Amino acid sequence: MLIKTYSRRIKMFSKKFPEGIISAKQFDREDVEYILSKGREMISIKNSDLLKGKILATLFFEPSTRTRLSFESSMYRLGGNVIGFHSGDVSSIKKGESIADTIRTVENYSDCIVIRHPLEGAARMAAKFAKIPVINAGSGSGEHPTQALLDLLTITEEVGALDGLNIGIMGDLKYGRTVHSLAILLSNFNVNTYFISPVELKMRNRDKDSLRQRQMNYKEITNFRKILNTLDVLYMTRIQKERFIDLEEYEKVKDFYIFRENDLNDTKDNFRLLHPLPRITEISPDVDKSNKSIYFKQTSFGIPMRKAILAELMQD
Ligand code: NCD
């Protein structure tokens, strides 16, 4: 019954975003609220045949655990099938084939393409060549819009409505693609945002310019302990070692932030700690057992959110 209700709803995204989901910039507030409501509906629909007969292609040119597996699991849970590869080394790109030619081929074998690639423009370029929708599952240091959507689903389910929240986004704001997409999505809401980073890893000017254009209310700080007691949410990120040109620079900042168990004492009762994962050293393992640490629960929201996205783009 639930499934029937779900499938009868108007599919906004396949009409509005025929190219797929490339950037968080595509989404206005209404779009975010719409897809979050679809994600919420999917929480109670474990398995269905909504995408029976459909094929998803997952083209991963960079390592992934959560993103690829949750896309694939979501597709199977909706009755669909998956093809793809999880390393550039095993596809014909290794032989010198261009992304454009790869896409022109894979579109004949599937109904939607999920791509992760080290180049910032890769997903956009793939969408330009594809006649089927493309989903950006991480484009270099650029964006990772579906992660940001699942982050918002986590916050709205576990903390509450976004308007009025104090949210800290901390770590590698220069190279971290999840935080770029998250900040863009949050710019649609009345959130007080703190960008917390070492000076070397501040949000890039071009990203800040576009957030200012979107009238986002944010402050940049370095010491998270100064504002920790005011935060509802702290979204931590890993320092993105693989993006550094000079590894000595990475060594200087790699342990800049370590969130420790005693930091929890300074947080509000309803404070929640998020992280897209993988976590390296930035959250001490003894923080995991606190009910304020919800980064593993956050991974579970990848399924309903991605099921909703896939259904939007592929459902007949
Ligand atoms: C992130 C990514 O790949 O950008 N991981 C993820 O998708 N959950 C974060 C990271 O690698 O630091």
Side-chain angles (χ1 to χ4, degrees):
M1 199 56 200
L2 262 174
I3 295 159
K4 281 197 179 139
T5 316
Y6 192 91
S7 56
R8 270 201 219 114
R9 292 271 187 101
I10 311 147
K11 293 168 290 154
M12 194 163 85
F13 281 14
S14 56
K15 286 200 188 72
K16 192 161 181 184
F17 306 133
E19 75 281 20
I21 295 172
I22 309 302
S23 165
K25 289 182 184 150
Q26 290 169 232
F27 293 74
D28 60 22
R29 183 177 174 127
E30 196 196 333
D31 299 327
V32 177
E33 284 173 346
Y34 170 78
I35 198 67
L36 290 181
S37 76
K38 303 300 279 179
R40 232 163 263 137
E41 266 184 73
M42 281 295 189
I43 293 173
S44 55
I45 301 171
K46 195 166 189 278
N47 295 319
S48 88
D49 57 3
L50 218 55
L51 295 182
K52 193 166 174 227
K54 301 286 179 184
I55 297 176
L56 178 71
T58 54
L59 313 187
F60 277 65
F61 297 93
E62 273 194 347
S64 172
T65 300
R66 281 149 285 270
T67 305
R68 185 174 64 84
L69 295 183
S70 67
F71 264 115
E72 296 190 357
S73 172
S74 300
M75 192 61 189
Y76 287 123
R77 288 210 184 278
L78 292 178
N81 282 295
V82 181
I83 56 169
F85 48 78
H86 45 82
S87 157
D89 287 348
V90 297
S91 80
S92 284
I93 295 263
K94 179 86 175 166
K95 301 181 193 163
E97 185 170 60
S98 68
I99 295 180
D101 289 359
T102 303
I103 296 298
R104 287 189 191 114
T105 305
V106 174
E107 69 179 0
N108 297 314
Y109 306 154
S110 57
D111 301 290
C112 179
I113 293 173
V114 178
I115 183 168
R116 168 172 287 190
H117 196 280
L119 289 178
E120 267 196 56
R124 189 168 302 284
M125 193 167 103
K128 214 177 104 191
F129 289 102
K131 290 188 220 56
I132 58 175
V134 171
I135 300 174
N136 178 4
S139 47
S141 303
E143 281 210 50
H144 191 352
T146 67
Q147 174 69 42
L149 286 168
L150 84 85
D151 297 336
L152 291 196
L153 184 61
T154 309
I155 296 172
T156 53
E157 283 294 292
E158 298 293 313
V159 184
L162 293 165
D163 287 324
L165 291 183
N166 294 328
I167 300 186
I169 301 181
M170 173 156 124
D172 189 343
L173 308 187
K174 181 179 181 185
Y175 298 119
R177 53 196 175 198
T178 69
V179 294
H180 298 153
S181 293
L182 181 61
I184 295 163
L185 290 187
L186 286 176
S187 71
N188 291 307
F189 297 85
N190 299 316
V191 169
N192 301 311
T193 312
Y194 294 90
F195 292 143
I196 312 160
S197 72
V199 178
E200 298 87 335
L201 298 177
K202 279 167 86 167
M203 186 82 67
R204 300 171 299 188
N205 284 334
R206 60 181 141 128
D207 295 320
K208 284 189 285 193
D209 288 346
S210 80
L211 293 173
R212 271 195 296 269
Q213 270 168 24
R214 302 170 76 89
Q215 268 119 45
M216 188 183 198
N217 179 15
Y218 68 83
K219 290 195 184 67
E220 292 182 281
I221 63 164
T222 301
N223 184 356
F224 74 97
R225 294 192 173 93
K226 275 194 181 154
I227 52 137
L228 187 56
N229 63 2
T230 69
L231 293 180
D232 300 296
V233 171
L234 178 59
Y235 185 97
M236 289 199 67
T237 60
R238 156 182 89 88
I239 310 293
Q240 309 276 304
K241 182 179 182 184
E242 68 275 31
R243 311 279 178 225
F244 282 72
I245 299 154
D246 181 353
L247 271 187
E248 265 180 42
E249 293 302 310
Y250 168 74
E251 290 297 323
K252 279 189 214 155
V253 288
K254 70 173 191 200
D255 292 324
F256 196 90
Y257 294 121
I258 298 183
F259 192 98
R260 300 183 193 281
E261 198 177 12
N262 59 3
D263 286 317
L264 288 167
N265 299 334
D266 296 330
T267 60
K268 297 203 245 183
D269 289 346
N270 68 341
F271 168 85
R272 294 291 178 268
L273 186 61
L274 278 76
H275 192 307
L277 303 178
R279 167 255 311 261
I280 314 299
T281 53
E282 60 279 6
I283 301 177
S284 147
D286 50 17
V287 177
D288 297 356
K289 60 182 180 292
S290 166
N291 58 14
K292 294 179 176 180
S293 303
I294 59 166
Y295 27 91
F296 291 109
K297 182 139 203 217
Q298 187 181 350
T299 66
S300 75
F301 288 105
I303 298 288
M305 196 64 247
R306 292 187 165 119
K307 277 160 83 177
I309 291 166
L310 293 172
E312 277 299 307
L313 295 176
M314 272 186 279
Q315 206 184 314
D316 287 324

